[in-house]
Amino acid sequence: MSMDCIFCGIAAGEIPAKIVAQTANVVAFKDINPQAPLHVQVIPIRHIVDAAHLEVSDAAVLVEMTAVAKQVAEDAGLDPATRGYRLVMNVGPDSQSTVPHLHLHVLAGRSMTWPPG
Ligand code: 5GP
Ligand code: ZN
Protein backbone atom coordinates (compact mmCIF):
# COMPACT_ATOMS: atom_id res chain seq x y z
CA MET A 1 0.00 0.00 0.00
CA SER A 2 1.23 3.43 -0.95
CA MET A 3 0.73 6.19 1.62
CA ASP A 4 -1.51 9.04 0.46
CA CYS A 5 -2.92 7.01 -2.44
CA ILE A 6 -6.71 7.39 -2.70
CA PHE A 7 -7.21 4.05 -4.43
CA CYS A 8 -4.98 2.18 -1.96
CA GLY A 9 -7.22 3.71 0.72
CA ILE A 10 -10.35 2.46 -1.04
CA ALA A 11 -8.82 -1.01 -1.51
CA ALA A 12 -7.96 -1.11 2.20
CA GLY A 13 -11.50 -0.04 3.17
CA GLU A 14 -10.16 3.15 4.76
CA ILE A 15 -11.77 5.48 2.23
CA PRO A 16 -15.48 4.89 1.55
CA ALA A 17 -16.54 3.76 -1.92
CA LYS A 18 -19.45 1.85 -3.42
CA ILE A 19 -17.76 -1.50 -3.94
CA VAL A 20 -19.46 -3.56 -6.67
CA ALA A 21 -17.07 -6.52 -6.93
CA GLN A 22 -14.03 -7.92 -5.19
CA THR A 23 -11.69 -10.81 -5.93
CA ALA A 24 -8.42 -11.95 -4.37
CA ASN A 25 -6.36 -9.26 -6.09
CA VAL A 26 -8.86 -6.77 -7.47
CA VAL A 27 -11.52 -4.34 -6.24
CA ALA A 28 -14.23 -2.65 -8.35
CA PHE A 29 -16.11 0.43 -7.19
CA LYS A 30 -18.38 3.10 -8.62
CA ASP A 31 -16.67 6.22 -9.96
CA ILE A 32 -17.38 9.31 -7.87
CA ASN A 33 -17.99 11.40 -11.03
CA PRO A 34 -19.63 8.99 -13.48
CA GLN A 35 -19.32 9.67 -17.21
CA ALA A 36 -21.84 7.00 -18.23
CA PRO A 37 -24.82 5.26 -16.57
CA LEU A 38 -22.33 2.60 -15.47
CA HIS A 39 -18.87 3.92 -14.61
CA VAL A 40 -16.79 1.65 -12.43
CA GLN A 41 -13.10 1.65 -11.56
CA VAL A 42 -11.42 -1.76 -11.45
CA ILE A 43 -8.12 -1.62 -9.56
CA PRO A 44 -5.47 -4.01 -8.34
CA ILE A 45 -5.32 -4.11 -4.53
CA ARG A 46 -1.53 -3.91 -4.81
CA HIS A 47 -0.28 -0.44 -5.72
CA ILE A 48 0.83 -0.25 -9.37
CA VAL A 49 1.27 3.28 -10.73
CA ASP A 50 -0.22 2.85 -14.20
CA ALA A 51 -0.20 0.64 -17.29
CA ALA A 52 3.29 1.89 -18.19
CA HIS A 53 4.56 0.35 -14.96
CA LEU A 54 3.17 -3.14 -15.58
CA GLU A 55 5.64 -6.02 -15.66
CA VAL A 56 5.21 -9.37 -17.42
CA SER A 57 4.78 -10.85 -13.94
CA ASP A 58 1.64 -8.67 -13.52
CA ALA A 59 -0.15 -10.48 -16.37
CA ALA A 60 -2.44 -12.45 -14.07
CA VAL A 61 -3.72 -9.41 -12.19
CA LEU A 62 -4.39 -7.62 -15.47
CA VAL A 63 -6.51 -10.54 -16.70
CA GLU A 64 -8.26 -10.61 -13.31
CA MET A 65 -9.11 -6.92 -13.81
CA THR A 66 -10.63 -7.54 -17.26
CA ALA A 67 -12.60 -10.53 -15.91
CA VAL A 68 -14.00 -8.37 -13.10
CA ALA A 69 -14.87 -5.66 -15.63
CA LYS A 70 -16.82 -8.21 -17.67
CA GLN A 71 -18.59 -9.48 -14.55
CA VAL A 72 -19.56 -5.96 -13.47
CA ALA A 73 -20.99 -5.22 -16.93
CA GLU A 74 -22.88 -8.53 -17.02
CA ASP A 75 -24.26 -7.91 -13.51
CA ALA A 76 -25.61 -4.61 -14.82
CA GLY A 77 -27.29 -6.41 -17.72
CA LEU A 78 -24.75 -5.13 -20.22
CA ASP A 79 -23.66 -8.40 -21.77
CA PRO A 80 -20.67 -8.05 -24.15
CA ALA A 81 -22.58 -9.72 -26.97
CA THR A 82 -25.60 -7.42 -26.78
CA ARG A 83 -24.75 -4.02 -25.27
CA GLY A 84 -21.05 -4.13 -24.38
CA TYR A 85 -18.85 -1.62 -22.60
CA ARG A 86 -15.74 0.50 -23.00
CA LEU A 87 -12.52 -0.14 -21.10
CA VAL A 88 -10.09 2.77 -20.66
CA MET A 89 -6.69 3.10 -18.99
CA ASN A 90 -5.21 6.57 -18.91
CA VAL A 91 -1.44 6.95 -18.76
CA GLY A 92 0.35 10.25 -18.24
CA PRO A 93 -0.57 13.94 -18.57
CA ASP A 94 -1.92 13.94 -22.15
CA SER A 95 -4.42 11.24 -21.21
CA GLN A 96 -5.75 13.44 -18.35
CA SER A 97 -4.84 10.75 -15.83
CA THR A 98 -5.44 12.04 -12.31
CA VAL A 99 -4.99 9.10 -9.92
CA PRO A 100 -1.55 7.41 -9.96
CA HIS A 101 -2.84 3.94 -9.06
CA LEU A 102 -3.62 1.63 -12.00
CA HIS A 103 -7.34 1.66 -12.78
CA LEU A 104 -9.47 0.31 -15.56
CA HIS A 105 -12.46 2.51 -16.36
CA VAL A 106 -15.55 0.44 -17.19
CA LEU A 107 -17.97 2.71 -19.03
CA ALA A 108 -21.31 1.38 -20.19
CA GLY A 109 -25.03 1.92 -20.47
CA ARG A 110 -24.96 4.41 -23.34
CA SER A 111 -23.71 4.43 -26.90
CA MET A 112 -20.13 5.78 -26.84
CA THR A 113 -18.62 8.18 -29.33
CA TRP A 114 -15.30 7.76 -31.10
CA PRO A 115 -12.70 9.20 -31.07
CA PRO A 116 -12.69 10.01 -27.35
CA GLY A 117 -11.96 13.63 -26.51
P1 5GP B 1 -8.16 9.05 -14.38
O1 5GP B 1 -8.52 10.44 -14.82
O2 5GP B 1 -6.95 9.04 -13.48
O3 5GP B 1 -8.05 8.06 -15.48
O4 5GP B 1 -9.40 8.53 -13.55
C1 5GP B 1 -9.55 8.70 -12.19
C2 5GP B 1 -11.02 8.45 -11.88
O5 5GP B 1 -11.16 8.26 -10.49
C3 5GP B 1 -11.94 9.61 -12.28
O6 5GP B 1 -12.95 9.11 -13.14
C4 5GP B 1 -12.49 10.10 -10.94
O7 5GP B 1 -13.83 10.52 -11.03
C5 5GP B 1 -12.32 8.90 -10.04
N1 5GP B 1 -12.08 9.22 -8.65
C6 5GP B 1 -11.16 10.11 -8.16
N2 5GP B 1 -11.20 10.12 -6.82
C7 5GP B 1 -12.16 9.24 -6.45
C8 5GP B 1 -12.65 8.81 -5.18
O8 5GP B 1 -12.22 9.26 -4.11
N3 5GP B 1 -13.63 7.87 -5.19
C9 5GP B 1 -14.13 7.34 -6.34
N4 5GP B 1 -15.09 6.42 -6.22
N5 5GP B 1 -13.68 7.71 -7.56
C10 5GP B 1 -12.71 8.65 -7.61
ZN1 ZN C 1 -2.30 3.02 -4.60
PDB file of all heavy atoms in Angstrom, residues 71-95:
ATOM      1  N   GLN A  71     -17.585  -9.065 -15.535  1.00  0.00           N
ATOM      2  CA  GLN A  71     -18.593  -9.480 -14.554  1.00  0.00           C
ATOM      3  C   GLN A  71     -19.463  -8.299 -14.121  1.00  0.00           C
ATOM      4  O   GLN A  71     -20.691  -8.414 -14.029  1.00  0.00           O
ATOM      5  CB  GLN A  71     -17.899 -10.102 -13.329  1.00  0.00           C
ATOM      6  CG  GLN A  71     -18.863 -10.774 -12.357  1.00  0.00           C
ATOM      7  CD  GLN A  71     -19.593 -11.939 -13.008  1.00  0.00           C
ATOM      8  OE1 GLN A  71     -18.954 -12.824 -13.548  1.00  0.00           O
ATOM      9  NE2 GLN A  71     -20.913 -11.911 -12.976  1.00  0.00           N
ATOM     10  N   VAL A  72     -18.820  -7.157 -13.891  1.00  0.00           N
ATOM     11  CA  VAL A  72     -19.557  -5.957 -13.472  1.00  0.00           C
ATOM     12  C   VAL A  72     -20.552  -5.549 -14.560  1.00  0.00           C
ATOM     13  O   VAL A  72     -21.706  -5.211 -14.279  1.00  0.00           O
ATOM     14  CB  VAL A  72     -18.570  -4.810 -13.163  1.00  0.00           C
ATOM     15  CG1 VAL A  72     -19.267  -3.469 -13.066  1.00  0.00           C
ATOM     16  CG2 VAL A  72     -17.798  -5.113 -11.879  1.00  0.00           C
ATOM     17  N   ALA A  73     -20.108  -5.589 -15.817  1.00  0.00           N
ATOM     18  CA  ALA A  73     -20.994  -5.221 -16.930  1.00  0.00           C
ATOM     19  C   ALA A  73     -22.142  -6.225 -17.043  1.00  0.00           C
ATOM     20  O   ALA A  73     -23.309  -5.838 -17.218  1.00  0.00           O
ATOM     21  CB  ALA A  73     -20.208  -5.150 -18.227  1.00  0.00           C
ATOM     22  N   GLU A  74     -21.829  -7.499 -16.937  1.00  0.00           N
ATOM     23  CA  GLU A  74     -22.877  -8.528 -17.020  1.00  0.00           C
ATOM     24  C   GLU A  74     -23.871  -8.373 -15.873  1.00  0.00           C
ATOM     25  O   GLU A  74     -25.081  -8.500 -16.078  1.00  0.00           O
ATOM     26  CB  GLU A  74     -22.256  -9.923 -17.005  1.00  0.00           C
ATOM     27  CG  GLU A  74     -21.618 -10.296 -18.333  1.00  0.00           C
ATOM     28  CD  GLU A  74     -20.999 -11.683 -18.328  1.00  0.00           C
ATOM     29  OE1 GLU A  74     -20.847 -12.290 -17.247  1.00  0.00           O
ATOM     30  OE2 GLU A  74     -20.639 -12.141 -19.421  1.00  0.00           O
ATOM     31  N   ASP A  75     -23.367  -8.093 -14.671  1.00  0.00           N
ATOM     32  CA  ASP A  75     -24.258  -7.913 -13.512  1.00  0.00           C
ATOM     33  C   ASP A  75     -25.211  -6.744 -13.729  1.00  0.00           C
ATOM     34  O   ASP A  75     -26.313  -6.723 -13.177  1.00  0.00           O
ATOM     35  CB  ASP A  75     -23.437  -7.673 -12.235  1.00  0.00           C
ATOM     36  CG  ASP A  75     -22.713  -8.920 -11.760  1.00  0.00           C
ATOM     37  OD1 ASP A  75     -22.990 -10.014 -12.295  1.00  0.00           O
ATOM     38  OD2 ASP A  75     -21.858  -8.795 -10.856  1.00  0.00           O
ATOM     39  N   ALA A  76     -24.778  -5.768 -14.525  1.00  0.00           N
ATOM     40  CA  ALA A  76     -25.614  -4.605 -14.821  1.00  0.00           C
ATOM     41  C   ALA A  76     -26.497  -4.849 -16.049  1.00  0.00           C
ATOM     42  O   ALA A  76     -27.169  -3.933 -16.521  1.00  0.00           O
ATOM     43  CB  ALA A  76     -24.735  -3.381 -15.030  1.00  0.00           C
ATOM     44  N   GLY A  77     -26.472  -6.066 -16.562  1.00  0.00           N
ATOM     45  CA  GLY A  77     -27.295  -6.408 -17.718  1.00  0.00           C
ATOM     46  C   GLY A  77     -26.709  -5.946 -19.026  1.00  0.00           C
ATOM     47  O   GLY A  77     -27.420  -5.811 -20.026  1.00  0.00           O
ATOM     48  N   LEU A  78     -25.407  -5.667 -19.021  1.00  0.00           N
ATOM     49  CA  LEU A  78     -24.749  -5.132 -20.222  1.00  0.00           C
ATOM     50  C   LEU A  78     -23.815  -6.182 -20.799  1.00  0.00           C
ATOM     51  O   LEU A  78     -22.598  -6.005 -20.852  1.00  0.00           O
ATOM     52  CB  LEU A  78     -24.012  -3.842 -19.856  1.00  0.00           C
ATOM     53  CG  LEU A  78     -24.957  -2.745 -19.337  1.00  0.00           C
ATOM     54  CD1 LEU A  78     -24.216  -1.723 -18.520  1.00  0.00           C
ATOM     55  CD2 LEU A  78     -25.699  -2.088 -20.487  1.00  0.00           C
ATOM     56  N   ASP A  79     -24.417  -7.267 -21.240  1.00  0.00           N
ATOM     57  CA  ASP A  79     -23.658  -8.396 -21.766  1.00  0.00           C
ATOM     58  C   ASP A  79     -22.794  -7.953 -22.949  1.00  0.00           C
ATOM     59  O   ASP A  79     -23.239  -7.165 -23.793  1.00  0.00           O
ATOM     60  CB  ASP A  79     -24.657  -9.484 -22.193  1.00  0.00           C
ATOM     61  CG  ASP A  79     -23.955 -10.776 -22.512  1.00  0.00           C
ATOM     62  OD1 ASP A  79     -23.565 -10.968 -23.679  1.00  0.00           O
ATOM     63  OD2 ASP A  79     -23.768 -11.576 -21.579  1.00  0.00           O
ATOM     64  N   PRO A  80     -21.556  -8.446 -23.043  1.00  0.00           N
ATOM     65  CA  PRO A  80     -20.672  -8.046 -24.148  1.00  0.00           C
ATOM     66  C   PRO A  80     -21.274  -8.310 -25.520  1.00  0.00           C
ATOM     67  O   PRO A  80     -21.049  -7.543 -26.459  1.00  0.00           O
ATOM     68  CB  PRO A  80     -19.418  -8.903 -23.945  1.00  0.00           C
ATOM     69  CG  PRO A  80     -19.460  -9.344 -22.535  1.00  0.00           C
ATOM     70  CD  PRO A  80     -20.893  -9.350 -22.093  1.00  0.00           C
ATOM     71  N   ALA A  81     -22.051  -9.357 -25.657  1.00  0.00           N
ATOM     72  CA  ALA A  81     -22.583  -9.717 -26.972  1.00  0.00           C
ATOM     73  C   ALA A  81     -23.748  -8.829 -27.396  1.00  0.00           C
ATOM     74  O   ALA A  81     -24.008  -8.686 -28.590  1.00  0.00           O
ATOM     75  CB  ALA A  81     -23.027 -11.177 -26.951  1.00  0.00           C
ATOM     76  N   THR A  82     -24.429  -8.218 -26.429  1.00  0.00           N
ATOM     77  CA  THR A  82     -25.599  -7.422 -26.779  1.00  0.00           C
ATOM     78  C   THR A  82     -25.295  -5.927 -26.658  1.00  0.00           C
ATOM     79  O   THR A  82     -25.286  -5.194 -27.660  1.00  0.00           O
ATOM     80  CB  THR A  82     -26.804  -7.802 -25.901  1.00  0.00           C
ATOM     81  OG1 THR A  82     -26.406  -7.745 -24.533  1.00  0.00           O
ATOM     82  CG2 THR A  82     -27.290  -9.195 -26.250  1.00  0.00           C
ATOM     83  N   ARG A  83     -25.008  -5.453 -25.469  1.00  0.00           N
ATOM     84  CA  ARG A  83     -24.749  -4.019 -25.267  1.00  0.00           C
ATOM     85  C   ARG A  83     -23.257  -3.717 -25.281  1.00  0.00           C
ATOM     86  O   ARG A  83     -22.808  -2.846 -26.006  1.00  0.00           O
ATOM     87  CB  ARG A  83     -25.365  -3.555 -23.936  1.00  0.00           C
ATOM     88  CG  ARG A  83     -26.881  -3.675 -23.861  1.00  0.00           C
ATOM     89  CD  ARG A  83     -27.576  -2.664 -24.754  1.00  0.00           C
ATOM     90  NE  ARG A  83     -27.136  -1.302 -24.489  1.00  0.00           N
ATOM     91  CZ  ARG A  83     -27.609  -0.521 -23.518  1.00  0.00           C
ATOM     92  NH1 ARG A  83     -28.551  -0.963 -22.730  1.00  0.00           N
ATOM     93  NH2 ARG A  83     -27.150   0.703 -23.357  1.00  0.00           N
ATOM     94  N   GLY A  84     -22.497  -4.365 -24.430  1.00  0.00           N
ATOM     95  CA  GLY A  84     -21.054  -4.131 -24.378  1.00  0.00           C
ATOM     96  C   GLY A  84     -20.659  -2.977 -23.470  1.00  0.00           C
ATOM     97  O   GLY A  84     -21.494  -2.391 -22.775  1.00  0.00           O
ATOM     98  N   TYR A  85     -19.391  -2.635 -23.504  1.00  0.00           N
ATOM     99  CA  TYR A  85     -18.852  -1.618 -22.600  1.00  0.00           C
ATOM    100  C   TYR A  85     -17.520  -1.128 -23.146  1.00  0.00           C
ATOM    101  O   TYR A  85     -16.953  -1.742 -24.046  1.00  0.00           O
ATOM    102  CB  TYR A  85     -18.673  -2.183 -21.183  1.00  0.00           C
ATOM    103  CG  TYR A  85     -17.976  -3.528 -21.116  1.00  0.00           C
ATOM    104  CD1 TYR A  85     -16.601  -3.625 -20.999  1.00  0.00           C
ATOM    105  CD2 TYR A  85     -18.713  -4.720 -21.178  1.00  0.00           C
ATOM    106  CE1 TYR A  85     -15.966  -4.857 -20.933  1.00  0.00           C
ATOM    107  CE2 TYR A  85     -18.095  -5.958 -21.112  1.00  0.00           C
ATOM    108  CZ  TYR A  85     -16.715  -6.020 -20.992  1.00  0.00           C
ATOM    109  OH  TYR A  85     -16.082  -7.240 -20.935  1.00  0.00           O
ATOM    110  N   ARG A  86     -17.047  -0.021 -22.610  1.00  0.00           N
ATOM    111  CA  ARG A  86     -15.735   0.500 -23.002  1.00  0.00           C
ATOM    112  C   ARG A  86     -14.779   0.405 -21.820  1.00  0.00           C
ATOM    113  O   ARG A  86     -15.134   0.777 -20.699  1.00  0.00           O
ATOM    114  CB  ARG A  86     -15.847   1.949 -23.473  1.00  0.00           C
ATOM    115  CG  ARG A  86     -14.488   2.527 -23.865  1.00  0.00           C
ATOM    116  CD  ARG A  86     -14.623   3.884 -24.542  1.00  0.00           C
ATOM    117  NE  ARG A  86     -15.183   3.747 -25.889  1.00  0.00           N
ATOM    118  CZ  ARG A  86     -15.524   4.774 -26.651  1.00  0.00           C
ATOM    119  NH1 ARG A  86     -15.379   6.007 -26.218  1.00  0.00           N
ATOM    120  NH2 ARG A  86     -16.025   4.569 -27.859  1.00  0.00           N
ATOM    121  N   LEU A  87     -13.580  -0.080 -22.101  1.00  0.00           N
ATOM    122  CA  LEU A  87     -12.521  -0.138 -21.097  1.00  0.00           C
ATOM    123  C   LEU A  87     -11.468   0.905 -21.447  1.00  0.00           C
ATOM    124  O   LEU A  87     -11.035   0.982 -22.590  1.00  0.00           O
ATOM    125  CB  LEU A  87     -11.877  -1.528 -21.075  1.00  0.00           C
ATOM    126  CG  LEU A  87     -12.809  -2.698 -20.764  1.00  0.00           C
ATOM    127  CD1 LEU A  87     -12.035  -4.007 -20.788  1.00  0.00           C
ATOM    128  CD2 LEU A  87     -13.493  -2.509 -19.420  1.00  0.00           C
ATOM    129  N   VAL A  88     -11.079   1.698 -20.430  1.00  0.00           N
ATOM    130  CA  VAL A  88     -10.088   2.766 -20.656  1.00  0.00           C
ATOM    131  C   VAL A  88      -9.049   2.726 -19.548  1.00  0.00           C
ATOM    132  O   VAL A  88      -9.383   2.589 -18.369  1.00  0.00           O
ATOM    133  CB  VAL A  88     -10.767   4.162 -20.650  1.00  0.00           C
ATOM    134  CG1 VAL A  88      -9.725   5.278 -20.727  1.00  0.00           C
ATOM    135  CG2 VAL A  88     -11.770   4.283 -21.788  1.00  0.00           C
ATOM    136  N   MET A  89      -7.785   2.880 -19.951  1.00  0.00           N
ATOM    137  CA  MET A  89      -6.692   3.100 -18.993  1.00  0.00           C
ATOM    138  C   MET A  89      -5.954   4.349 -19.437  1.00  0.00           C
ATOM    139  O   MET A  89      -5.407   4.386 -20.543  1.00  0.00           O
ATOM    140  CB  MET A  89      -5.714   1.924 -19.006  1.00  0.00           C
ATOM    141  CG  MET A  89      -6.116   0.771 -18.146  1.00  0.00           C
ATOM    142  SD  MET A  89      -4.790  -0.445 -18.158  1.00  0.00           S
ATOM    143  CE  MET A  89      -5.569  -1.704 -17.165  1.00  0.00           C
ATOM    144  N   ASN A  90      -5.945   5.357 -18.608  1.00  0.00           N
ATOM    145  CA  ASN A  90      -5.206   6.574 -18.915  1.00  0.00           C
ATOM    146  C   ASN A  90      -3.786   6.467 -18.379  1.00  0.00           C
ATOM    147  O   ASN A  90      -3.568   5.944 -17.277  1.00  0.00           O
ATOM    148  CB  ASN A  90      -5.910   7.784 -18.299  1.00  0.00           C
ATOM    149  CG  ASN A  90      -7.229   8.085 -18.983  1.00  0.00           C
ATOM    150  OD1 ASN A  90      -7.333   7.986 -20.196  1.00  0.00           O
ATOM    151  ND2 ASN A  90      -8.236   8.437 -18.211  1.00  0.00           N
ATOM    152  N   VAL A  91      -2.853   6.960 -19.166  1.00  0.00           N
ATOM    153  CA  VAL A  91      -1.440   6.948 -18.764  1.00  0.00           C
ATOM    154  C   VAL A  91      -0.838   8.323 -19.067  1.00  0.00           C
ATOM    155  O   VAL A  91      -0.794   8.737 -20.228  1.00  0.00           O
ATOM    156  CB  VAL A  91      -0.635   5.861 -19.526  1.00  0.00           C
ATOM    157  CG1 VAL A  91       0.829   5.876 -19.075  1.00  0.00           C
ATOM    158  CG2 VAL A  91      -1.244   4.478 -19.319  1.00  0.00           C
ATOM    159  N   GLY A  92      -0.404   9.013 -18.044  1.00  0.00           N
ATOM    160  CA  GLY A  92       0.353  10.252 -18.237  1.00  0.00           C
ATOM    161  C   GLY A  92      -0.509  11.474 -18.493  1.00  0.00           C
ATOM    162  O   GLY A  92      -1.729  11.394 -18.668  1.00  0.00           O
ATOM    163  N   PRO A  93       0.134  12.655 -18.516  1.00  0.00           N
ATOM    164  CA  PRO A  93      -0.572  13.939 -18.572  1.00  0.00           C
ATOM    165  C   PRO A  93      -1.497  14.108 -19.776  1.00  0.00           C
ATOM    166  O   PRO A  93      -2.621  14.592 -19.629  1.00  0.00           O
ATOM    167  CB  PRO A  93       0.571  14.971 -18.618  1.00  0.00           C
ATOM    168  CG  PRO A  93       1.731  14.271 -17.989  1.00  0.00           C
ATOM    169  CD  PRO A  93       1.584  12.820 -18.341  1.00  0.00           C
ATOM    170  N   ASP A  94      -1.067  13.731 -20.980  1.00  0.00           N
ATOM    171  CA  ASP A  94      -1.921  13.944 -22.154  1.00  0.00           C
ATOM    172  C   ASP A  94      -3.225  13.154 -22.068  1.00  0.00           C
ATOM    173  O   ASP A  94      -4.225  13.529 -22.679  1.00  0.00           O
ATOM    174  CB  ASP A  94      -1.177  13.557 -23.443  1.00  0.00           C
ATOM    175  CG  ASP A  94      -0.292  14.688 -23.953  1.00  0.00           C
ATOM    176  OD1 ASP A  94      -0.275  15.769 -23.320  1.00  0.00           O
ATOM    177  OD2 ASP A  94       0.383  14.487 -24.978  1.00  0.00           O
ATOM    178  N   SER A  95      -3.218  12.072 -21.337  1.00  0.00           N
ATOM    179  CA  SER A  95      -4.425  11.236 -21.209  1.00  0.00           C
ATOM    180  C   SER A  95      -5.408  11.803 -20.194  1.00  0.00           C
ATOM    181  O   SER A  95      -6.517  11.302 -20.067  1.00  0.00           O
ATOM    182  CB  SER A  95      -4.043   9.822 -20.786  1.00  0.00           C
ATOM    183  OG  SER A  95      -3.701   9.800 -19.414  1.00  0.00           O
TER     184      SER A  95
END
